[in-house]
């Protein structure tokens, strides 16, 4: 698995966010979502500075790497992420996503991710416009459009971000680019349908999966809701 998929594809990729898992049972949780048909594993890294919450660092990801065979989709919600990209890559991250708002030198930071050998992701917050970053779309593998303010799971989906997804999908077609579009925050079967219609390829879901066992049924529901409509 990789973020890079032929577009448009029939099925959305589902990326459970481990943030909502039971960390006292991490091995079982990871095995369970893998067996339930997850396509990637989404890992939320928070530093208590870029966002107010603190979660996991490279040490924890190294442990997760040993437990998981899925692509590790690593979402860095940290200030000046270029300081850490090597450490996350060495820990086992397959894709590394940095926030546009987190660094003064975004192009260099994306380059630093590329040099590690990881796939390169760029994320924008709900209030951040896409336009200033459009020139970078040809040098990324993934655009992550946040549909909640980053920092916490369990928030409500913000549909006002969908025009950015539509615009990114249009630009991708017009420029014949290959980056995948991911959405993160408040994804459930209902918002998954809206996101998918707008052009999303990868759906991150924390609460909607881990708080609603059995996981296979939930993942199937998300995938079904997000099936590309032939419109
Ligand atoms: C929020 C994180 C998300 C979060 C999603 O800052 O980036 O990945 O875990 O959780 P839900 O799906 O519960 O909104
Ligand atoms: Zn995330």
């Amino acid at each position: 698995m990789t973020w890079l998929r032929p577009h448009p594809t029939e099925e959305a990729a589902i990326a459970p966010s481990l943030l909502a898992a039971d960390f006292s049972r991490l091995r079982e949780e990871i095995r369970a979502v893998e067996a339930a048909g997850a396509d990637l594993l989404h890992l939320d890294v928070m530093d208590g500075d870029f966002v107010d919450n603190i979660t996991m660092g490279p040490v924890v990801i190294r442990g997760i790497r040993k437990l998981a065979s899925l692509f590790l989709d690593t979402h860095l919600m940290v200030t000046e992420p270029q300081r850490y990209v090597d450490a996350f890559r060495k820990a086992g991250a397959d894709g590394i996503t940095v926030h546009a708002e987190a660094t003064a030198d975004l192009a260099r930071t994306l380059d630093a991710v590329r040099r590690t050998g990881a796939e390169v992701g760029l994320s924008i917050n709900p209030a951040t416009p896409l336009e200033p970053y459009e020139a970078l779309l040809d040098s990324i593998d993934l655009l992550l459009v946040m549909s909640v303010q980053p920092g916490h799971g369990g928030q409500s989906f913000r549909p006002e971000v969908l025009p950015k997804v539509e615009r990114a999908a249009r630009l991708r077609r017009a420029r014949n680019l290959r980056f995948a579009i991911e959405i993160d925050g408040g994804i459930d079967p209902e918002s998954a349908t809206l996101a998918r219609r707008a052009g999303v390829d990868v759906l991150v879901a924390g609460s909607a999966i881990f708080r609603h066992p059995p996981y296979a049924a939930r993942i199937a529901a998300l995938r079904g809701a997000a099936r590309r409509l032939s419109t």
Side-chain angles (χ1 to χ4, degrees):
M1 183 65 197
T2 158
W3 282 330
L4 295 172
R5 326 174 79 224
H7 301 291
T9 53
E10 191 65 34
E11 302 277 353
I14 309 293
S17 164
L18 265 200
L19 193 59
D22 177 352
F23 270 71
S24 70
R25 297 173 44 254
L26 210 46
R27 179 191 297 271
E28 293 96 305
E29 294 281 63
I30 290 171
R31 297 260 156 92
V33 287
E34 289 196 337
D39 299 290
L40 319 115
L41 209 51
H42 185 83
L43 304 178
D44 287 304
V45 175
M46 304 186 188
D47 68 348
D49 185 57
F50 181 70
V51 293
D52 60 2
N53 202 358
I54 300 178
T55 55
M56 60 184 96
V59 171
V60 174
I61 290 182
R62 190 180 300 278
I64 291 171
R65 177 74 286 168
K66 290 186 188 152
L67 300 172
S69 51
L70 289 177
F71 181 98
L72 297 185
D73 168 20
T74 310
H75 177 194
L76 299 189
M77 286 159 277
V78 308
T79 303
E80 300 299 341
Q82 65 275 15
R83 296 177 293 163
Y84 300 110
V85 294
D86 285 325
F88 281 104
R89 177 62 175 165
K90 284 198 187 104
D94 295 298
I96 298 178
T97 299
V98 299
H99 267 266
E101 307 84 2
T103 171
D105 197 344
L106 185 56
R108 253 239 294 270
T109 303
L110 296 173
D111 243 34
V113 176
R114 178 73 67 201
R115 278 199 304 275
T116 68
E119 290 190 17
V120 180
L122 166 63
S123 182
I124 52 174
N125 281 340
T128 303
L130 178 63
E131 284 79 1
Y133 307 106
E134 286 175 2
L136 295 171
L137 293 178
D138 54 3
S139 52
I140 61 173
D141 303 311
L142 178 90
L143 176 70
L144 166 51
V145 176
M146 289 305 299
S147 42
V148 299
Q149 187 60 23
H152 298 272
Q155 305 179 66
S156 300
F157 180 73
R158 294 170 63 161
E160 66 269 22
V161 307
L162 291 175
K164 288 192 284 189
V165 172
E166 286 163 1
R167 184 173 172 84
R170 263 201 312 277
L171 288 168
R172 181 170 65 184
R173 260 196 312 278
R175 296 201 212 153
N176 200 20
L177 298 175
R178 291 192 65 226
F179 64 89
I181 304 174
E182 182 178 57
I183 199 155
D184 182 6
I187 291 296
D188 59 17
E190 200 178 317
S191 52
T193 306
L194 301 176
R196 187 67 173 148
R197 276 194 196 132
V200 162
D201 309 290
V202 186
L203 296 158
V204 176
S207 321
I209 293 173
F210 287 102
R211 302 270 188 270
H212 296 269
Y215 303 155
R218 270 319 257 191
I219 289 175
L222 283 168
R223 227 193 282 284
R227 193 149 285 142
R228 187 173 285 279
L229 307 169
S230 50
T231 49

